[in-house]
Amino acid sequence: MSQMPQQAPVSKCPSCEEPLEPGDRFCGACGYDLSVVPAPPEESPTVVMNGAAPGPGPARDEVDWPTARDSDGQGRPAPVHAAAELPGTDSGGSPLPSQEPSAPEEPAREPGRESVQEHSSGVRLDRPAEPDEYPLQAPAPRSAPEPAAAAPAAGAGGKVCVACRAGRVDRDGYCENCGHAQPRERDHMEQESGPVAAVSDRGLRHHRNEDAFSVGCTALPDGAPATVAIVCDGVSSATRPDDASLAASRAAGESLLGALPRGTHPQQAMHDAILAASHAVNALAAEPATAREQAPHQNAPACTLVGAVVTAGLLVVGWVGDSRVYWVPADRATPPARLTEDDSWAAQMVAAGLMSEAEAYADERAHAITGWLGADAYELEPHTASFKPDRPGVVVVCTDGLWNYAESAQEMAEATPLDAAVRPLHSARVLVGHALDGGGHDNVTVALLPFPAPPQGAGSA
């Protein structure tokens, strides 16, 4: 049930202090409305936080809460105090410790502690102290502690993060401590073995490098030098293409370097090397890692292969797929040549006379390969060919990541530095850079072999 507010008995006008008679509702001198004057509390009043008087009723346990005064009894508004002028209490009602403003020196701040600033208005602003420098997500590798002292969790043989130098790198190539992605070793690879050199790069569009190579030099039974280069390109639509190219390049390279010193003819050695590479790639299909990745597509690991063997007077090439070998003579006045034919849809169309070369390679099906190494490949037909150049030059062995930007033999010769025969590693870098400057849409791998093979011990200048 609602109750009307009752008039409080007062003897003087709270505005002008004029004496009042009992029952007066207004001051006769100033006209002050006496009905709004609260009754004096019997005990200490309770301050209403929002300044409004709560209404009476059972919701307030039948307590008649007073209304805050709006004047000082002299006709002036009630004084207002700043927060800093009143003693404070904590949540339990205990007085807060007094702040001594006379301390002339500011206490030293410890890292992580809060700094307190007090403005002239009496309002205190508490905020965390700001450091002079903000630490990076991962410290610089040079300033980081050594992994042996800082990262025992990495364990024996475990890779340590190159960013934080404290976390162990998981199988996906990410740090378990800071999450930093680790650079892959195969993103960019370079190798020089005597007079032969190779460079492989991930390119600008692919998330990993699915190419691989193998280079080396050896001697024939008569002591004549021989150089070897194998370049493989993983089939991206297959399972584990990067593993396939790596296995094929290693198997073929080892086969050649083992057969040539025994007196096997270079062309036969190349044929056997391609078969060895095929067996290595086929073996991947039976591994558990392949079974996990290929389901439900059921496509086996696959790659293409191209290689070259250079001796003192013979040049042998072999291939399966669409990677290529180019001949670039040292005398650029003589014509260069492409020494391989692609196992591709475009090459079949041209060979069958159904399209011109320009029309075939302009078709979106041009790079669909018709030959590859893998358990699901058609009947394997290794291609080999032998040449006896009558002049010095350089042999360019590459994947389509390069020849897409220098397709004809003349374009490849123009992109190849003039000193490629004496600086094969530098020239391989230049050719990879040519592909990256052109767009780098694919992985890029190239190997260079000078012809004729220089004596043992000779290398790039």
Side-chain angles (χ1 to χ4, degrees):
M1 181 177 179
S2 300
Q3 297 179 356
M4 296 296 294
Q6 298 178 357
Q7 179 180 348
V10 292
S11 60
K12 291 182 181 182
C13 175
S15 177
C16 64
E17 296 188 350
E18 180 70 18
L20 301 175
E21 296 293 336
D24 287 348
R25 302 182 62 184
F26 296 93
C27 176
C30 67
Y32 190 89
D33 186 0
L34 302 176
S35 64
V36 299
V37 179
E42 297 179 359
E43 298 179 356
S44 298
T46 301
V47 179
V48 181
M49 295 301 295
N50 60 7
R60 294 294 180 178
D61 298 330
E62 303 296 340
V63 178
D64 187 10
W65 296 98
T67 304
R69 296 171 55 189
D70 58 1
S71 70
D72 60 357
Q74 302 294 330
R76 297 184 297 271
V80 178
H81 298 277
E85 300 174 6
L86 299 176
T89 60
D90 60 18
S91 59
S94 302
L96 293 174
S98 59
Q99 301 290 334
E100 296 294 340
S102 59
E105 296 182 359
E106 182 180 357
R109 302 188 188 122
E110 297 181 9
R113 296 293 181 89
E114 293 183 346
S115 61
V116 179
Q117 297 181 357
E118 185 168 333
H119 294 258
S120 58
S121 61
V123 180
R124 300 170 68 245
L125 299 179
D126 296 355
R127 62 181 178 182
E130 295 185 1
D132 295 333
E133 295 182 358
Y134 290 92
L136 299 175
Q137 182 179 7
R142 293 183 179 180
S143 62
E146 292 298 325
K159 295 181 62 177
V160 179
C161 175
V162 299
C164 69
R165 307 295 291 175
R168 187 175 64 87
V169 179
D170 61 19
R171 296 182 59 185
D172 295 329
Y174 291 87
C175 176
E176 294 180 347
N177 179 47
C178 68
H180 192 90
Q182 307 299 297
R184 298 182 178 93
E185 295 179 0
R186 290 180 63 176
D187 282 356
H188 185 87
M189 301 180 293
E190 297 184 358
Q191 185 179 350
E192 188 174 26
S193 179
V196 57
V199 176
S200 181
D201 192 88
R202 178 173 58 91
L204 304 179
R205 301 295 181 89
H206 280 222
H207 71 286
R208 64 180 176 184
N209 189 0
E210 297 172 354
D211 289 356
F213 65 80
S214 175
V215 295
C217 54
T218 186
L220 303 178
D222 61 357
T227 56
V228 172
I230 296 292
V231 170
C232 296
D233 184 357
V235 178
S236 297
S237 59
T239 300
R240 299 169 62 193
D242 51 336
D243 292 341
S245 62
L246 184 61
S249 62
R250 287 178 175 175
E254 292 173 358
S255 177
L256 282 172
L257 294 176
L260 293 174
R262 294 196 301 266
T264 306
H265 189 277
Q267 189 167 357
Q268 181 62 46
M270 177 62 72
H271 182 274
D272 296 342
I274 296 176
L275 294 180
S278 175
H279 296 324
V281 177
N282 292 348
L284 295 177
E287 293 184 0
T290 300
R292 288 194 301 269
E293 289 191 24
Q294 70 183 5
H297 304 290
Q298 302 299 319
N299 55 342
C303 70
T304 65
L305 182 147
V306 66
V309 175
V310 173
T311 67
L314 186 67
L315 166 60
V316 173
V317 298
W319 73 97
V320 174
D322 61 348
S323 293
R324 294 179 176 179
V325 177
Y326 291 85
W327 162 254
V328 179
D331 181 7
R332 299 301 170 88
T334 57
R338 175 156 66 97
L339 306 182
T340 58
E341 294 293 335
D342 299 342
D343 288 325
S344 67
W345 179 90
Q348 284 190 345
M349 294 298 102
V350 174
L354 300 177
M355 287 184 173
S356 67
E357 187 171 358
E359 292 173 338
Y361 282 99
D363 194 282
E364 61 181 6
R365 297 165 291 181
H367 290 277
I369 57 176
T370 57
W372 63 88
L373 302 180
D376 59 354
Y378 302 122
E379 184 178 356
L380 178 62
E381 295 182 4
H383 309 293
T384 61
S386 296
F387 303 90
K388 291 184 177 181
D390 59 355
R391 65 201 68 192
V394 64
V395 180
V396 180
V397 184
C398 64
T399 62
D400 60 344
L402 172 60
W403 66 254
N404 277 332
Y405 301 99
E407 186 170 342
S408 68
Q410 186 60 41
E411 290 173 328
M412 185 63 70
E414 293 173 355
T416 304
L418 296 174
D419 59 352
V422 295
R423 300 179 66 192
L425 180 59
H426 167 76
S427 300
R429 292 170 178 163
V430 171
L431 289 173
V432 169
H434 176 78
L436 298 180
D437 291 342
H441 285 71
D442 199 355
N443 305 145
V444 188
T445 303
V446 57
L448 297 181
L449 305 88
F451 180 89
Q456 290 288 338
S460 61

